[in-house]
């Protein structure tokens, strides 16, 4: 009897364990099934129509793609501009991505003929279906023309390439501004404002009280004004999206001639082999000294026909020794020319050197009527070396002392002459007083 009871209990425990295992397996299967359904739903959301709606509403993924392709300013970091010689490396611009993007570009191109280049640029843009939107031209002191073009966004890159080919590109800035969220926001605000205006108009048509009518008209005017402002902002953005803007600045090539002159000195006569020297120099009187002149072309055009004058030293370019370069030739941008003058100063000097040159193009034709010039100075302090003076130096010193004594005597006499009447008056008074004392 006891055995039977123990056996029944064992079977019951075993049955309970089996039931628990089956329930656990069933729950696990349901969880997996639910997980699979959840993953399937997530996949549908990420790749189906819902994802498209999110993009249209201004999702982050397309915006990030736009920024990664166009950079913060619309140009990828790997595609930097190649300036000069016309044309630039094409930039990767975000197009055909279902976004509202404003394309703009500013570029400066150096040309030999500003007026002719402006006409050529207009023809290139018109060939692409664009048009000239504005123009500002100046003729002096430097010919410059600023042209604003409008083109279709799909022709934006072709327009940049065409404009870059008419001369040498000095700089270029391209931007792509994503305004999708701004347009969506404006459209939403316009819809809300429109509904508000219609509601106020309905209330105004039903109002009979004068005060209510006045209040409703004032509020309606404010809402209509706000609505028109929103519509104007939306039209402006839509116009900017519909047509890309390119601002082209045309400048005359090689129109900035400039030079700098550095003057230094050092004690010695070696035909300028030790140039440059010191900015300010102190030497003994009569010491052989070399003055160095370094002329550098710091402009963007060739220079020729150099002239150098120093009235303090009474020298010109023909009196100098050529150390580096040819003073009678041409100096291209960035190059230097060094010449030297050999002197033996007998007194302190403050040179005043003026250098002029004529700007020319690579063919030697003059650019501009006025030459470029610069004036600079250097101090040479000549000191007495000391020691026993010679006979001639002593004679010169004595003569100089005699001259100074004579000058001092003349100065003293000149100062006393206005007072010569003082002793005369004193003598006259003394003479007048003597007879009076004798009578007493």
């Amino acid at each position: 009897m006891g055995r039977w009871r123990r056996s029944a209990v064992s079977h019951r425990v075993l049955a309970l364990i089996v039931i628990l295992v089956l329930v656990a397996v069933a729950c696990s299967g349901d969880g997996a099934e639910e997980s699979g359904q959840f993953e399937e739903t997530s996949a549908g959301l990420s790749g189906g129509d819902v994802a498209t709606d999110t993009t249209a509403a201004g999702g982050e993924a397309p915006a990030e793609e736009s920024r990664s392709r166009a950079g913060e300013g619309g140009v990828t970091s790997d595609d930097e501009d190649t300036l000069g010689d016309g044309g630039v490396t094409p930039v990767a611009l975000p197009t055909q991505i279902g976004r509202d993007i404003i394309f703009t570009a500013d570029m400066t191109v150096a040309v030999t003929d500003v007026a002719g280049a402006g006409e050529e640029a207009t023809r290139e843009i018109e060939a692409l279906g664009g048009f000239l939107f504005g123009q500002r031209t100046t003729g002096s002191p430097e010919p410059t023309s600023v042209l604003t073009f409008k083109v279709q966004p799909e022709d934006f890159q072709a327009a940049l390439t065409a404009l870059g080919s008419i001369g040498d590109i000095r700089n270029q800035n391209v931007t792509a501004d994503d305004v999708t969220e701004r347009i969506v926001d404006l459209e939403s605000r316009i819809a809300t404002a429109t509904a508000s205006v219609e509601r106020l108009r309905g209330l105004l048509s039903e109002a009979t009280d004068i005060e209510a009518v006045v209040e409703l008209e004032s509020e309606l005017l404010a809402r209509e004004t706000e609505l028109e402002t929103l519509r104007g902002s939306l039209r402006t953005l839509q116009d900017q999206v519909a047509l890309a803007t390119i601002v082209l600045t045309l400048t005359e090539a090689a129109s900035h001639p400039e030079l700098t002159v550095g003057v230094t000195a050092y004690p010695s006569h070696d035909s300028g082999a030790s140039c440059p020297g010191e900015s300010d120099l102190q030497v003994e009187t009569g010491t052989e000294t070399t003055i160095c002149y370094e002329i550098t072309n710091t402009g963007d055009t060739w220079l020729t026909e150099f002239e150098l004058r120093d009235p303090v030293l009474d020298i010109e370019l023909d009196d100098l020794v050529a150390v580096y370069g040819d003073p009678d030739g041409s100096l291209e941008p960035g190059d230097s020319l060094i010449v030297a003058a050999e002197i033996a100063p007998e007194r302190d000097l403050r040179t005043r050197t003026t250098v002029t040159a004529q700007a020319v193009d690579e063919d030697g034709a003059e650019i501009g009527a006025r030459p470029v010039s610069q004036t600079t100075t250097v101090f040479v302090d000549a000191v007495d070396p000391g020691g026993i003076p010679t006979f001639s130096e002593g004679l010169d010193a004595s003569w100089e002392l005699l001259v100074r004594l004579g000058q001092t005597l003349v100065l003293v006499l000149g100062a006393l002459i206005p007072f010569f009447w003082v002793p005369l008056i004193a003598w006259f008074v003394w003479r007048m007083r003597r007879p009076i004392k004798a009578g007493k």
Side-chain angles (χ1 to χ4, degrees):
M1 185 72 177
R3 290 182 179 178
W4 181 85
R5 290 180 178 177
R6 288 195 295 270
S7 176
V9 172
S10 299
H11 284 91
R12 290 175 182 176
V13 173
L14 180 61
L16 180 60
I17 293 174
V18 171
I19 292 172
L20 291 176
V21 170
L22 291 177
V23 171
V25 171
C27 292
S28 175
D30 292 340
E33 184 176 357
E34 291 177 359
S35 175
Q37 291 175 352
F38 178 77
E39 292 176 358
E40 182 180 356
T41 303
S42 300
L45 290 175
S46 62
D49 295 336
V50 176
T52 303
D53 294 341
T54 303
T55 301
E60 294 298 328
E64 292 177 359
E65 178 183 356
S66 172
R67 286 192 293 267
S68 64
R69 294 178 58 188
E72 292 298 331
V75 183
T76 59
S77 58
D78 295 334
D79 296 330
E80 295 183 355
D81 299 348
T82 302
L83 304 182
D85 300 330
V88 295
T89 301
V91 293
L93 298 174
T95 58
Q96 307 298 330
I97 61 174
R99 307 288 290 178
D100 294 313
I101 297 177
I102 298 176
F103 295 104
T104 59
D106 295 312
M107 58 191 309
T108 301
V109 179
V111 296
T112 56
D113 181 10
V114 172
E119 296 176 357
E120 181 181 355
T122 303
R123 289 194 298 268
E124 293 286 352
I125 294 299
E126 290 177 347
L128 294 172
F131 59 92
L132 178 63
F133 189 74
Q135 181 176 0
R136 184 179 73 255
T137 303
T138 58
S140 62
E142 300 173 359
T144 304
S145 183
V146 181
L147 302 96
T148 302
F149 296 106
K150 297 286 187 177
V151 296
Q152 296 292 331
E154 56 269 21
D155 298 325
F156 184 65
Q157 182 59 65
L160 292 179
T161 303
L163 295 177
S165 64
I166 66 177
D168 294 332
I169 297 179
R170 295 293 172 81
N171 60 70
Q172 175 177 287
N173 181 30
V174 180
T175 61
D177 186 13
D178 189 345
V179 294
T180 305
E181 287 77 9
R182 292 170 60 187
I183 289 180
V184 171
D185 178 65
L186 284 173
E187 290 176 343
S188 176
R189 294 171 63 186
I190 288 173
T192 302
T194 302
S196 178
V197 168
E198 293 299 330
R199 185 169 57 256
L200 286 173
R201 286 175 179 173
L203 294 174
L204 182 61
S205 63
E206 298 175 357
T208 57
D209 183 71
I210 298 298
E211 293 183 359
V213 170
V214 172
E215 184 177 355
L216 287 172
E217 285 182 344
S218 177
E219 184 66 22
L220 178 60
L221 178 60
R223 298 292 178 88
E224 288 178 339
T225 302
E226 180 184 2
L227 177 59
E228 290 304 318
T229 301
L230 293 173
R231 286 173 175 172
S233 300
L234 179 61
R235 284 194 300 270
T236 300
L237 283 179
Q238 290 174 338
D239 291 343
Q240 292 175 342
V241 170
L243 291 174
T245 303
I246 301 175
V247 179
L248 172 66
T249 302
L250 298 174
T251 61
E252 189 175 49
S255 58
H256 301 282
E258 187 178 358
L259 63 84
T260 58
V261 181
V263 183
T264 56
Y266 64 90
S268 180
H269 280 179
D270 57 2
S271 300
S274 300
C275 286
E278 303 175 15
S279 57
D280 294 317
L281 181 67
Q282 185 180 72
V283 296
E284 294 182 356
T285 303
T287 301
E288 294 182 343
T289 304
T290 299
I291 308 295
C292 306
Y293 304 94
E294 183 175 3
I295 306 168
T296 304
N297 184 351
T298 55
D300 60 358
T301 179
W302 291 66
L303 297 178
T304 189
E305 300 180 12
F306 290 96
E307 295 183 4
L308 186 149
R309 295 186 180 88
D310 194 326
V312 176
L313 300 180
D314 192 22
I315 58 174
E316 296 185 357
L317 187 61
D318 294 338
D319 303 323
L320 306 183
V321 178
V323 179
Y324 177 80
D326 183 9
D328 297 325
S330 299
L331 193 64
E332 65 177 304
D335 280 359
S336 297
L337 167 68
I338 300 177
V339 291
E342 296 180 340
I343 62 173
E346 297 293 338
R347 58 183 178 83
D348 294 343
L349 298 175
R350 180 183 180 183
T351 66
R352 182 174 177 82
T353 307
T354 300
V355 177
T356 61
Q358 178 63 49
V360 295
D361 57 24
E362 296 184 3
D363 297 327
E366 291 187 358
I367 300 175
R370 299 175 58 185
V372 293
S373 66
Q374 187 185 36
T375 300
T376 188
T377 62
V378 66
F379 291 92
V380 177
D381 187 10
V383 297
D384 189 347
I388 300 176
T390 62
F391 176 79
S392 60
E393 291 175 344
L395 183 60
D396 291 340
S398 299
W399 174 254
E400 183 178 357
L401 178 60
L402 181 61
V403 170
R404 290 183 178 179
L405 288 175
Q407 292 175 344
T408 303
L409 180 61
V410 171
L411 180 62
V412 171
L413 291 176
L416 293 177
I417 285 176
F419 302 97
F420 75 95
W421 50 271
V422 174
L424 292 177
I425 293 176
W427 178 81
F428 179 77
V429 171
W430 178 75
R431 293 287 298 173
M432 291 295 293
R433 290 173 62 88
R434 285 188 62 189
I436 297 174
K437 290 181 179 181
K440 290 182 178 180

